[in-house]
Amino acid sequence: MRMTKKLLSMILAVVMVLGLLPATAFATGEDVVYISVSYDDKFTDDKNGNPIAFVPVSFDTLAGVDLNDYNLSEYLYDEDEDGTPEITALQLIIYAHENIYGGSWSDVTFTGGAGSSYFQGGVFGFTENLNYFLNGQFPIDEALSEGSSYAVGATSDHIILEPGDFVDMA
C-alpha cells in the first residue's frame, strides 16, 4: 500500500510539472506569427464574421507577400544587408487585410517613405488613427530615437518579425 502511494505521488508530480510546460514545446515546428485587430474594445471581424484575435500566419505565407507586387519596393527592409529582405509587420498587415479581413489593398491609403510609412486610411476599415504593438509593446525605432528627447515609433516596414511574435492593431 505504501509503495502504491509513493508511485501515485510521483506520477502526480510529473503530471503537474508537464502541465506547467509551455504549449509551444509541443508545437508542430511551423514558424508562425500572430495578429489581432480591434477597434476600441472589440475585435474586428474577419471575412467570415469571426473575431480577428490571435490568428496564426505562417512565415512561409508571409514570405509569399512580395511588396513589389503592391508597388511598395521602397519598403523592402534588409536590416542585416545580406541581400534578402526581412519579413516585416507590413507583409503581415497586407496579408491579414486581404486574406483574413477580406479587404482589397487598393482601398488602403499608404503614404510616407521607407522607415516613415503611414497608414492614412482603409486598412481593416480604419481611419488614420491606429496603433500597432509588437508582443504587447509599442515598437521603438532605436536608430531614429538616438539623440532625440523622445522615443520614435517604428513603422510597419521596419518591424522585423520573429517566430512567435504577436502583432496587435487597434
Side-chain angles (χ1 to χ4, degrees):
M1 182 75 160
R2 190 174 178 121
M3 184 63 146
T4 304
K5 285 184 179 181
K6 282 185 178 181
L7 182 60
L8 286 175
S9 294
M10 286 177 51
I11 290 172
L12 181 58
V14 168
V15 168
M16 288 174 56
V17 168
L18 288 175
L20 296 174
L21 291 176
T24 55
F26 304 103
T28 62
E30 183 178 22
D31 291 336
V32 297
V33 295
Y34 301 88
I35 187 166
S36 289
V37 180
S38 61
Y39 184 83
D40 290 336
D41 63 342
K42 294 184 174 57
F43 286 112
T44 301
D45 287 340
D46 68 12
K47 62 185 175 185
N48 299 316
N50 301 311
I52 303 174
F54 208 65
V55 177
V57 180
S58 76
F59 263 75
D60 287 342
T61 298
L62 294 179
V65 177
D66 185 353
L67 296 180
N68 293 309
D69 294 344
Y70 296 88
N71 295 318
L72 298 174
S73 59
E74 70 181 281
Y75 297 97
L76 291 167
Y77 187 49
D78 185 9
E79 182 182 55
D80 57 10
E81 299 178 359
D82 67 353
T84 303
E86 320 308 337
I87 294 179
T88 65
L90 178 57
Q91 289 160 284
L92 174 62
I93 292 166
I94 291 170
Y95 175 81
H97 177 76
E98 290 187 327
N99 297 283
I100 298 170
Y101 177 71
S104 170
W105 190 252
S106 64
D107 295 335
V108 175
T109 304
F110 190 68
T111 62
S116 64
S117 60
Y118 184 69
F119 289 100
Q120 203 165 6
V123 68
F124 302 111
F126 291 151
T127 62
E128 61 186 315
N129 290 330
L130 64 92
N131 287 311
Y132 36 87
F133 300 89
L134 177 65
N135 300 323
Q137 297 183 358
F138 185 70
I140 303 298
D141 187 320
E142 299 296 334
L144 291 176
S145 297
E146 190 175 315
S148 176
S149 60
Y150 57 91
V152 178
T155 59
S156 62
D157 60 313
H158 278 199
I159 298 173
I160 299 170
L161 298 177
E162 300 290 336
D165 279 349
F166 170 57
V167 174
D168 181 29
M169 296 193 64

